[in-house]
Amino acid sequence: MNKTELIDEIVDTVAEAAPHISSGLKKRREYVGEENPSGERQLEADVWANELLQELITSINGVGEFASEENDKIIDCGEGLSVTIDPLDGSSNIPTNNLVGTIVGVYDGELPCKGENLVAAFYIVYGPLTTLMLAKEGEVNEYVIEETSGDQVELHLASENIEIPEAYVYGFGGNKNWTEEFRKFEAEISRELKLRYGGAFVGDMNQILHHGGVFAYPYRTDAPNGKLRLLFECNPAAYIVETAGGSSTNTEKSILKVEASELHQRAPFFTGTEELVSRVEEELPKW
Ligand code: FDP
């Protein structure tokens, strides 16, 4: 299998599991009393979706490394591409029945490595529709995943060759502990754009790709590196937005250029239309 076929196989494998994951959430809404490597409480659904995707992805011939936001360590599966997953992004939204998703990064490099090594990235949104936003080979396409008979799915192209539109919305997380400089920046943006923040990264990213604008989860006074994980969340999202003609930054440089030294490292994250991301770099103190 060449790299292109392998990427397709990874995408198809996760897409085929998506309807099952979506329907399996309703029975797994309790907290299990454990924490993930980032110190976040795990729901039964987090543990279940992680085990399911781990088994499926590590069985693909050509996947060399597998890492999950829910696991301490990288799993070595041999030679090949490295896959990162956030099996259930935004799972604290499950009890309130808001959006959740799955985020996948496909890196051509040994983990942890920079986002520049990504060769594909995608996320699935479990919402009113189950959708897949995929960036590879310089294009971003969105598909609706439809279950057919048995365990089969069909991917219906919903938005082709997405280019991030002119800015309309913004969504910024972590507001209880913003710095004074960031509050000032937010006040300025709030006069120009419409606020929409759902607290599920996949949903907040998806609206930026559809409506244009800026998403941020900045450094906080109590968390100097912010909340989002570089390898599992920031890099795949930045790769998708940059492929769609937008930008990303940690206030200093593209997220994809940030050195990755630890598997679960966090980074302040800003992404969206080029002009707004430039303003982040001009107006906020460097991280
Ligand atoms: P969650 O804690 O529900 O898993 O990184 C996880 C994440 O959600 C993201 O999906 C989301 O963008 C962010 O955390 C939400 O954080 P806040 O609750 O601080 O807004």
Side-chain angles (χ1 to χ4, degrees), residues 48-222:
W48 171 73
N50 185 42
E51 283 169 3
L52 177 77
L53 290 171
Q54 177 175 313
E55 197 184 321
L56 292 171
I57 295 170
T58 54
S59 307
I60 299 173
N61 199 1
V63 170
E65 286 188 323
F66 170 86
S68 165
E69 199 176 281
E70 302 300 325
N71 296 345
D72 279 334
K73 296 201 176 88
I74 298 164
I75 298 177
D76 187 352
C77 337
E79 286 293 301
L81 297 177
S82 304
V83 179
T84 61
I85 65 161
D86 180 356
L88 264 192
D89 170 66
S91 58
S92 70
N93 284 300
I94 292 178
T96 55
N97 195 23
N98 288 328
L99 290 185
V100 288
T102 296
I103 310 173
V104 182
V106 185
Y107 294 80
D108 194 355
E110 204 175 301
L111 298 173
C113 61
K114 286 186 191 174
E116 281 178 335
N117 291 289
L118 281 163
V119 287
F122 59 97
Y123 60 76
I124 291 184
V125 182
Y126 309 106
L129 304 172
T130 300
T131 54
L132 184 145
M133 185 68 86
L134 167 66
K136 61 166 191 172
E137 293 164 1
E139 259 196 31
V140 180
N141 292 304
E142 186 178 43
Y143 303 86
V144 175
I145 300 177
E146 272 183 26
E147 215 175 355
T148 54
S149 56
D151 283 343
Q152 302 295 301
V153 295
E154 276 176 9
L155 298 187
H156 296 283
L157 186 60
S159 307
E160 193 173 7
N161 204 357
I162 294 177
E163 284 182 30
I164 190 164
E166 216 172 291
Y168 175 56
V169 294
Y170 80 100
F172 296 165
N175 70 316
K176 291 271 185 203
N177 300 89
W178 283 343
T179 59
E180 276 316 307
E181 290 94 344
F182 191 77
R183 284 190 194 287
K184 226 171 109 203
F185 181 73
E186 190 272 341
E188 199 184 291
I189 296 292
S190 71
R191 288 191 286 273
E192 300 169 28
L193 302 177
K194 180 180 166 111
L195 167 64
R196 281 192 149 194
Y197 181 70
F201 186 54
V202 285
D204 292 323
M205 288 310 307
N206 217 41
Q207 64 171 4
I208 296 297
L209 281 154
H210 280 284
H211 297 314
V214 59
F215 169 87
Y217 204 110
Y219 35 54
R220 303 188 316 221
T221 52
D222 63 331

Side-chain angles (χ1 to χ4, degrees), residues 26-41:
K26 50 179 170 290
K27 290 181 280 180
R28 298 177 175 88
R29 302 192 316 249
E30 302 299 320
Y31 284 98
V32 290
E34 301 287 331
E35 288 184 348
N36 72 12
S38 302
E40 294 165 346
R41 290 204 298 162

Side-chain angles (χ1 to χ4, degrees), residues 107 113-118 121 230 233-243 246-250 253-260 269-271:
Y107 294 80
C113 61
K114 286 186 191 174
E116 281 178 335
N117 291 289
L118 281 163
L230 179 66
E233 294 164 308
C234 307
N235 278 341
Y239 181 82
I240 296 169
V241 173
E242 291 198 15
T243 306
S247 299
S248 74
T249 187
N250 65 350
K253 56 186 168 199
S254 161
I255 275 290
L256 302 177
K257 292 188 190 305
V258 173
E259 203 67 57
F269 183 52
F270 309 79
T271 192

